[in-house]
Amino acid sequence: MAMMTTALQVAVSLGLFNVWLVRPKLQTAYRGGQAKTLFEEFRVYGLPTWSFFVVGALKIACAILLIVGVWVSPLKVAAAIGIAILMAGAVLMHAKVGDPLRKAFPAATMFVCALVLALV
């Protein structure tokens, strides 16, 4: 079980790093509304500019803490709870703009993975 938990921690962290550090300017099928970049997605949701930077910093910080949580278990729980809250917000933003369910699928999957990590 410990190996599966560690693998899930790494997978969730890498997913967050990928979205926020590798692909923020790339168009994907999962961007909210008609947004082409991550920054545009926040505009589509009607969020203020500063929220892009705050949410990004929180997600990267939680991803780092999730990796450190491999060795320091309480950090894993805190990071997983933080990610779950942020991903719940992402799912709600997709619903706010009337996106089809498939666009919210990655955020919903990360939400579920984070909940699992918080509980195991």
Side-chain angles (χ1 to χ4, degrees):
M1 181 70 153
M3 284 184 70
M4 287 176 34
T5 301
T6 299
L8 188 57
Q9 284 173 254
V10 171
V12 169
S13 294
L14 290 177
L16 290 169
F17 292 145
N18 181 51
V19 169
W20 282 90
L21 300 176
V22 177
R23 300 169 41 120
K25 294 181 180 180
L26 298 179
Q27 188 171 354
T28 76
Y30 303 106
R31 297 268 183 241
Q34 300 300 314
K36 293 184 182 357
T37 68
L38 192 55
F39 187 77
E40 285 179 20
E41 195 170 359
F42 275 67
R43 279 197 213 141
V44 167
Y45 298 145
L47 298 171
T49 299
W50 61 263
S51 67
F52 171 81
F53 299 101
V54 171
V55 169
L58 288 171
K59 286 186 177 181
I60 295 302
C62 285
I64 291 168
L65 290 175
L66 204 55
I67 294 294
V68 175
V70 169
W71 299 278
V72 183
S73 186
L75 290 180
K76 175 197 78 152
V77 174
I81 290 169
I83 292 167
I85 291 168
L86 291 164
M87 290 303 146
V91 170
L92 290 173
M93 289 297 107
H94 282 288
K96 175 184 175 185
V97 298
D99 280 339
L101 289 176
R102 69 176 169 76
K103 284 194 173 194
F105 183 75
T109 301
M110 291 290 269
F111 171 76
V112 170
C113 290
L115 282 182
V116 168
L117 288 170
L119 296 172
V120 296

